[in-house]
Amino acid sequence: MHPEPLNAFFPRAGLPNVFAKLAGGGDATIVYLGGSITRAPGYRVMTAEWLQEQYPQAKIEAINAGVSGTGSDLGAARTARDVLRHRPDLVFVEFVVNDRGAPESKAWIEGIVRQVRNADPMTDLLFVYTLAEQDVAGFRKGRYQPGALLQDEVADEYGIPSIHLGVELSRLVAEGTVVFTVWEGEKAPAGAVVFTRDSVHPTVPDGHRLYADEIVRRLKTLRGRAESGMPSPHLLPAETLVPGNPWEYAAMKAPAELAAFAGEWTFETPERPGPAQEFSWLFPGLWRSGKPGDAFTVEFVGTHIGLFDIGGPYSGRLKVSVDGGEPIVLDRFTLHNDHDRNEYAFLPALPNGRHVVRFEIDAARTDKAAVFEAAGKHESLGHFRQHPDRYGQTLVQLGMLLLVQPPL
């Protein structure tokens, strides 16, 4: 017995305001909020180009708010800076792959939605659910991704249209016109479209074109519905879907606003080559120290605190004490750190209130070779052996503080 076909598209309250504005000759700003799939010059660029072609009289500004390797928890913290300051007419939201089905992601996504709707109830939202190869088997059995189901509860509560891109893509894979993954160095089957080279990130342009075509197909339907209606505000429910959800109060703040630094910390600005320059699109500068014992202390009122920073081969560990308690270790080195990359981490949730958190560079060092070896990262292990001095450091490079601060 074959499973019932899955619905790939839920129009809900649609996109009444952005299409009405464009049809009336107005300009529009579209923000694409997501991870690396959104950051790539793929579906984001293609859908913006399609909209511009449909409305040549309008100026459509498309904002790239994709940050690789990040989920909707960081998305909620950066919504004000990366989304709201652009005063968008439409916001695409893409986080299912990076959220990995975390139960908390429903609260994170709701936090994004409520921030957008509080800022301007006329702003439309659209959820797009991308997928990894491991998700294809579920679609074939008639199952959505667990993470998409969580986010779709939010979409349903707030009337947000959503597109399950895996439904059509899995169908194309089943019929053989698309091969989901052909690894680098492998030969692609003749006549088939290669969707990814790494099981997650669509190829450019071919893989992303499949996403874009499906999104455009649904945008056409949403445009037709909008043309028969009137612009209308998206009313915000007084109560959150997730009881007591604090994530609409997530934010990023410059460390200098809240942190007291002790030791040999320096603030590196983007003027000269280095990580501060490379990541100047994310941070105005980086607070840097590699000396064990150097510390910074943050006093804040809220439920969550985290770090948005730059990691790499040189990254060290932090000993973190909350309200004078026993320290825990926050390792800023990960199995991906054979190169400079943006990363982030939140501490576990705290009771809403005033807290004092101390971060101190740990003298103890992670066995970085063992991290690579356990993960089967043989190229990274080779890099470690070629550059032992880089990996022998205990450097911390802080870009922003992450906070969740609901009213007391």
Side-chain angles (χ1 to χ4, degrees), residues 128-330:
V128 292
Y129 305 136
T130 56
L131 72 159
E133 185 169 23
Q134 64 187 20
D135 301 318
V136 172
F139 281 106
R140 288 179 176 173
K141 295 175 182 177
R143 297 197 303 261
Y144 297 113
Q145 301 136 290
L149 291 174
L150 289 169
Q151 294 192 15
D152 227 36
E153 289 184 49
V154 178
D156 204 47
E157 176 74 6
Y158 291 89
I160 298 166
S162 61
I163 307 171
H164 292 264
L165 295 167
V167 173
E168 174 64 8
L169 184 57
S170 296
R171 185 189 68 79
L172 295 173
V173 170
E175 72 178 22
T177 56
V178 173
V179 177
F180 200 98
T181 302
V182 176
W183 295 94
E184 295 292 344
E186 294 181 352
K187 187 176 181 181
V193 173
V194 175
F195 184 65
T196 82
R197 291 287 184 176
D198 63 2
S199 81
V200 175
H201 299 92
T203 55
V204 178
D206 293 347
H208 269 278
R209 174 58 63 191
L210 295 173
Y211 275 167
D213 286 349
E214 177 69 357
I215 294 169
V216 165
R217 185 178 305 119
R218 306 312 180 178
L219 287 175
K220 290 177 179 177
T221 299
L222 293 167
R223 177 177 61 180
R225 289 164 57 98
E227 288 175 349
S228 62
M230 294 289 291
S232 60
H234 300 285
L235 300 179
L236 191 65
E239 298 296 327
T240 56
L241 176 64
V242 177
N245 186 2
W247 283 87
E248 68 181 283
Y249 303 100
M252 290 196 305
K253 294 191 177 181
E257 292 183 41
L258 291 173
F261 290 90
E264 300 179 6
W265 295 89
T266 60
F267 185 65
E268 183 176 306
T269 55
E271 282 73 28
R272 61 181 184 178
Q277 185 179 91
E278 181 183 352
F279 293 94
S280 61
W281 62 280
L282 278 178
F283 309 121
L286 294 171
W287 287 92
R288 305 175 78 240
S289 177
K291 183 180 178 182
D294 281 5
F296 61 93
T297 302
V298 180
E299 295 188 32
F300 80 105
V301 176
T303 59
H304 295 76
I305 184 170
L307 308 179
F308 191 14
D309 54 0
I310 299 300
Y314 38 72
S315 290
R317 311 182 340 167
L318 289 164
K319 292 190 295 186
V320 185
S321 300
V322 179
D323 299 329
E326 285 296 313
I328 62 172
V329 172
L330 186 62

Side-chain angles (χ1 to χ4, degrees), residues 313 338 368-369 372 377-393:
D338 58 1
K368 298 176 180 179
F372 289 149
K377 304 269 287 188
H378 303 298
E379 289 186 13
S380 300
L381 194 57
H383 188 260
F384 172 89
R385 289 166 177 158
Q386 291 172 8
H387 305 283
D389 292 345
R390 294 189 198 177
Y391 288 90
Q393 301 179 48

